[in-house]
Each structure stands twice: as structure tokens, then as C-alpha cells.
Amino acid sequence: MKITIKETQEKLRKGEITVEDILSEFFARTKERNEEINAFLSVFDKTLNDIKSKDKNLPLYGAFFSVKDNILIKGERCSAGSRLLDHYIAPFDATVIRKIKEKGGVFIGKGNLDEFAMGSSTENSAFGPTRNPIDSERVPGGSSGGTAAAVADGMCNAGLGSDTGGSIRQPAAFCGVVGFKPTYGTVSRSGVMSMASSFDQVGPITNSVEDAETIFNAICGKDENDSVTSDLIRKKVKKDLKVGIPKEYFVEGMEEGVKEAIEKAIEKVEKAGIKVEEVSLPHTEYALPAYEIIMASEVSANLARYDGIRYGLEFDRPVAKTIKDAYLENRGEGFGKEAKRRIILGTYALSAGYYDAYYIKAQKIRSLIADDFKKVFQEVDALITPATPTLPFKIGEKVEDPLSMHLSDIFTVTANLAGLPAMCLPCGKKDKFYVGAQVLTDRFHEDTLFHLAKKLEEIWKQ
Ligand code: GLN
């Protein structure tokens, strides 16, 4: 049942439907579809009791979540899509989970993902790929592909993902739903498995911009368990917004169907009376290489904790003879190919002799990219770009070609490098597939972003 949180709330509050009805519809849909789509790694049976105990007036009453399986829900398995954590049970609630519980939301289950959130197709999951509900031969995007597919296919009406370089926005674009990555530091990462800590941010995947706003408002704010968090500094929304189109985002190699749809979408924006002008972000071409180096460096440090001592493979296996054997067995058998590739690359980039040439240089580029945005936001209030260079590709098509897989993130990584809020939403179609557009604003200007994105949603629906 494809329904927004808002519609669900209205129906529930008016008594048009009961929570039992809704839940049985979501569960029936999941039962019918999950075997093929593989959107959920686990489905909960306590959800009905949870929702019955909630106050109807809470802001997230009527929100039924798929939570990406790298976010901890106390007492439930949290696998990160990795064989290494197949048996891991979360000992506490992530801050975002605690907030959702307090504000009336409930959880349907945990969403499939690329191992430790590393990938753009959900094919790197140790528990099999998720399939795109629009065409099951194709990928749903990644790494939050399971959650995006569940929301798009009506198995739930809300999703929580994590975005390090595009993992909320790119699967939202491939599945035709809304995906929002907030300003870095506005949402707590406590209880979210770290991939690359200076980029990671939690955010919603939904069927409407308004639902994304509702969830964001419920989960944001300072958290003493995450020292980079701050309360959202609310900025005023200007009356007449000026939108920039960065010319560097219209690169060669963009699939024709995507290019056409996005150009048409921008024409519609102009016709609707919104001021649009071309702008330039000159360092854009260096964004993906800089992201790859910094991300892999942070991954290599963060994934060091999976050592077979604190976290590791199942406990009933024979005990390794030496500590080195324990490391080798757990990391050798536990991690998949992509995780190993990134650990090796990151360790290399951080090693003496290469640190300055790669890591420091990438950090310098990161500053240049942030400066580009700073300048451009003195001219315009928001930016519109394509979300992805291609339509959903076939399962297996890019698995053996990691470089071409990484190109999927070319338009999304810049927001993580600069810590900006960014949202992807459908702006048109090519055959049966949706094409996504991305809207960005300056840091902490989420209210402007929501205001504009709601307008765009209306304009692009027609
Ligand atoms: N697809 C990107 C990558 O593979 C982003 C991942 C993410 O945002 N978690 O690194």
C-alpha cells in the first residue's frame, strides 16, 4: 500500500482505518514481495503492540519504518549487510531510534544494504542483492537500497537510511521516492555503524517531501553522544528564491534519458515563475577522487574494530590459535570484496610517504569544493542538479567494474564533502523509470530546502 505518513495519520485520527488494518496491509505486501525483492533482512512481529501503546497526537504516529540495517535497534539483529555481524544483536537504541520511538513511530523491520554501507547498488550485501521493485532485473541503487525499495513498493510508509556519499539519495532516485541527507551534524550518529565519520549522516526516505520534513524535525538536534551535533540553527525562508544550475553537473556521459528529463524539469521550474540561472562550481571534477581517498581512509580506520575480539564471526567456531589467526580468519572470511578493497586503499593512502600525496591533497580539494559552494550561495539560494548520471542498471552489470560503479555517486558526493543538506526527488520519467533531481542549499538552510522542494514536487507531478 503506497501511502504517505500524513495520509496514514489523517485516516487513523479520523478513525477511517485501524492500526491493525494498516499493519496487516504492510505485512501482507512484505510477505508477498520480499522473497523476490529482498528489501528486508528482518521483519518484526512486535510492531502492533508498539503502535497500540502510542499517543495518537505524536508527530510520527502512523509512521511505519524500514530502518537500514546499520542502525541499532535494541535487542534486534544488526548485520550491516556483513557476514561478520550475522549474529550481532544491538545492545542499545541509536539516538535516532529512541527519538522515533518517543515521537510515535514504529518499526516494520531492517532494510538490506551494501556491506557497511559501501556501494551504489545493494549488490554488496552478504545476504543477496535487493531488486528494484519497478523492474526486478535491475538494482534499486545503494547502499540504502533495501529501505528505498520497501518504501517505493508500499511495504512500509517511511524509511531511515544513512548517507556517506549518496546512499540515501541515489537509491531514492532509482526507486522513484524522496531521499534527504541533512546538514552534517544536525542528526546524531550515535548507534549508527560508522563508515566514514566525517561524511556519515542519517536521514529519511519517504513518499513525499513533507514526510521527509516531519521525520527530520523529529530526529534532529544536539546529542551528547555525538560530539559534532548541534541544534539546527533555523534560517529564515526568503520570499523570492533564486535557483542556480551548476553547469559542471551536465557532463558528458550522462545517459540521454536522464539528461532529457532533467532539462525538461528545469524548464518547468522556470515556467512556474521561479528564477533560474546558470552558476559554476569549478572544482566539481575533483570531487569524486577526493571523496574516494578520504572515504577509504576513514573506512580503513573505522573497520579496524571488526577484529574478531570485540566483534567477529559466530562464537561457536573453533577458537583461533593466535591473535593473528583470529584477525586473519575473522577479517578474511567476514568481509566481502568491496570492504577489503576499501580497507586496503585507505590503509595505503594513510601510510607514511603517501599520506601527503593522497590524503592531505584530498583534504585540500575538499576545502576548495566547500569554498565553491560558499561562493555560489552568495548568488543563489538553492541549486538543482541531476541526482544520478544513469537510470537503474542491470543486476550484475557493474559488479566487476568498481570504477564505473563509483561513478553513480558523481553528483551526490559533493554535498557530503561540504556538509550540505541535499534532497533527491522524482522530477520526471524515462519509460517506466523515474528520473531524480537533487536540490541543495547552504548548511542549516533546511527550511529553505523543504519549502522549495515542496514547490518542485507540485511542479514536477503535473
Ligand atoms: N555509494 C557510495 C559509496 O559507495 C556512497 C555510500 C554511502 O553513502 N554510504 O561510497
Side-chain angles (χ1 to χ4, degrees):
M1 178 176 51
K2 207 158 169 187
I3 185 168
T4 62
I5 301 173
K6 191 172 180 206
E7 287 160 358
T8 313
Q9 283 176 341
E10 280 169 6
K11 283 181 192 272
L12 282 171
R13 285 176 186 152
K14 280 190 202 146
E16 282 171 20
I17 39 167
T18 63
V19 286
E20 282 89 349
D21 294 339
I22 295 188
L23 204 57
S24 62
E25 286 219 31
F26 285 143
F27 277 143
R29 182 77 184 162
T30 305
K31 206 165 174 200
E32 180 195 328
R33 296 280 284 165
N34 201 44
E35 205 170 309
E36 185 189 355
I37 305 292
N38 198 23
F40 281 106
L41 291 179
S42 47
V43 178
F44 303 157
D45 48 18
K46 303 189 290 284
T47 310
L48 183 59
N49 290 336
D50 282 356
I51 181 89
K52 277 189 162 168
S53 64
K54 308 270 173 174
D55 173 353
K56 275 194 176 142
N57 296 312
L58 289 167
L60 288 181
Y61 185 78
F64 295 83
F65 281 86
S66 159
V67 174
K68 186 178 187 178
D69 205 22
N70 61 350
I71 303 175
L72 271 52
I73 301 181
K74 188 175 176 178
E76 302 291 347
R77 171 182 182 249
C78 194
S79 72
S82 180
R83 172 157 149 49
L84 213 129
L85 295 181
D86 190 1
H87 298 258
Y88 178 68
I89 306 293
F92 65 95
D93 277 334
T95 299
V96 283
I97 296 299
R98 176 176 57 74
K99 288 191 173 189
I100 288 174
K101 284 183 178 172
E102 283 166 8
K103 290 179 181 153
V106 293
F107 308 108
I108 296 266
K110 301 297 289 287
N112 198 9
L113 70 159
D114 288 296
E115 186 175 15
F116 290 106
M118 300 192 283
S120 310
S121 66
T122 318
E123 292 167 290
N124 295 336
S125 167
F127 308 106
T130 295
R131 293 173 177 273
N132 191 315
I134 300 163
D135 177 345
S136 61
E137 298 289 300
R138 292 181 188 257
V139 304
S143 62
S144 316
T147 294
V151 174
D153 202 49
M155 300 186 216
C156 56
N157 64 0
L160 207 58
S162 68
D163 191 310
T164 304
S167 280
I168 290 175
R169 290 161 286 155
Q170 187 255 10
F174 274 12
C175 293
V177 291
V178 175
F180 175 54
K181 180 203 96 71
T183 299
Y184 182 76
T186 52
V187 177
S188 170
R189 298 161 304 157
S190 172
V192 182
M193 290 177 182
S194 307
M195 177 182 155
S197 312
S198 75
F199 298 127
D200 297 345
Q201 205 45 195
V202 173
I205 298 178
T206 54
N207 287 315
S208 75
V209 175
E210 192 175 357
D211 282 359
E213 183 179 13
T214 306
I215 295 174
F216 172 72
N217 284 332
I219 61 175
C220 69
K222 189 171 169 55
D223 177 21
E224 62 177 27
N225 293 328
D226 180 352
S227 56
V228 305
T229 51
S230 64
D231 283 324
L232 189 71
I233 310 158
R234 296 276 177 184
K235 306 276 188 181
K236 249 196 161 162
V237 180
K238 278 199 221 151
K239 238 183 164 186
D240 281 320
L241 293 179
K242 218 199 279 172
V243 173
I245 312 292
K247 61 172 188 238
E248 290 80 4
Y249 283 65
F250 291 80
V251 287
E252 260 174 64
M254 196 150 82
E255 209 171 297
E256 216 26 65
V258 175
K259 199 162 169 241
E260 253 172 53
I262 193 93
E263 283 171 354
K264 231 190 241 160
I266 292 168
E267 266 172 40
K268 284 187 183 172
V269 176
E270 283 181 298
K271 275 203 192 120
I274 298 176
K275 270 184 244 146
V276 176
E277 65 181 54
E278 189 182 90
V279 294
S280 171
L281 296 162
H283 297 94
T284 302
E285 67 173 300
Y286 307 110
L288 197 56
Y291 166 78
E292 293 289 330
I293 296 289
I294 301 169
M295 175 273 296
S297 301
E298 294 186 17
V299 160
S300 73
N302 274 327
L303 265 49
R305 77 193 62 178
Y306 304 104
D307 56 3
I309 313 291
R310 288 162 297 183
Y311 308 98
L313 296 169
E314 56 275 14
F315 292 116
D316 52 1
R317 52 194 281 120
V319 178
K321 286 206 182 67
T322 64
I323 209 159
K324 190 172 163 197
D325 286 345
Y327 293 164
L328 291 176
E329 273 175 32
N330 276 277
R331 294 172 70 81
E333 290 171 39
F335 285 132
K337 261 192 192 166
E338 183 68 15
K340 286 180 185 162
R341 216 166 8 230
R342 296 192 192 203
I343 292 169
I344 293 168
L345 180 67
T347 309
Y348 179 82
L350 289 179
S351 56
Y354 297 110
Y355 181 83
D356 289 333
Y358 294 108
Y359 182 74
I360 294 291
K361 197 178 237 171
Q363 290 289 18
K364 287 182 180 164
I365 294 172
R366 183 177 192 174
S367 299
L368 292 174
I369 285 166
D371 286 347
D372 279 357
F373 280 112
K374 216 184 250 169
K375 278 186 208 137
V376 105
F377 286 128
Q378 284 165 5
E379 292 167 39
V380 295
D381 306 292
L383 299 168
I384 298 179
T385 78
T388 59
T390 66
L391 295 171
F393 42 89
K394 289 235 166 82
I395 291 183
E397 194 180 316
K398 301 196 177 187
V399 175
E400 297 307 327
D401 184 1
L403 279 183
S404 111
M405 182 76 90
H406 290 189
L407 276 178
S408 310
D409 311 317
I410 190 158
F411 301 136
T412 48
V413 295
T414 48
N416 303 77
L417 284 161
L420 306 175
M423 177 183 280
C424 287
L425 68 159
C427 72
K429 277 190 118 175
K430 167 70 185 166
D431 306 328
K432 59 184 169 179
F433 298 107
Y434 292 92
V435 173
Q438 178 175 233
V439 187
L440 303 105
T441 59
D442 204 354
R443 292 172 59 116
F444 299 109
H445 285 255
E446 321 325 74
D447 286 337
T448 299
L449 195 155
F450 294 134
H451 175 80
L452 176 65
K454 278 183 224 167
K455 276 195 183 173
L456 297 174
E457 191 177 39
E458 279 305 308
I459 295 168
W460 289 335
K461 250 180 208 162
Q462 293 153 15

